[in-house]
Amino acid sequence: MMPTLSHADRGRRGSAATIARTTPEQRKEIARQAYLAGAVNTVVARAPELTSEQVARLRAVFAPVVGA
């Protein structure tokens, strides 16, 4: 009987398998998307700290996207 792997061990093995089957370009795109997700999460988490000018700039950038 095989020992049960921990959640972390399964994650490490899955990550290694993913890296092995992706191209450098795909890994770069995955990293880029992860970076952007982190940046968005940071802005959302710190939204109460934003100045009115910063909020206005975000609205100006995203209003056309939301309205489309």
Side-chain angles (χ1 to χ4, degrees), residues 4-67:
T4 303
L5 294 175
S6 71
H7 185 70
D9 287 335
R10 286 192 307 272
R12 277 190 282 278
R13 286 187 180 190
S15 176
T18 298
I19 289 171
R21 70 175 179 262
T22 57
T23 66
E25 293 80 19
Q26 289 170 322
R27 289 193 297 272
K28 186 175 181 179
E29 181 62 19
I30 290 167
R32 190 181 73 79
Q33 290 295 325
Y35 173 80
L36 289 175
V40 168
N41 287 337
T42 299
V43 170
V44 169
R46 296 183 66 183
E49 302 171 30
L50 296 175
T51 66
S52 57
E53 291 83 14
Q54 291 167 327
V55 172
R57 185 169 179 199
L58 287 171
R59 282 191 179 125
V61 169
F62 291 114
V65 175
V66 174

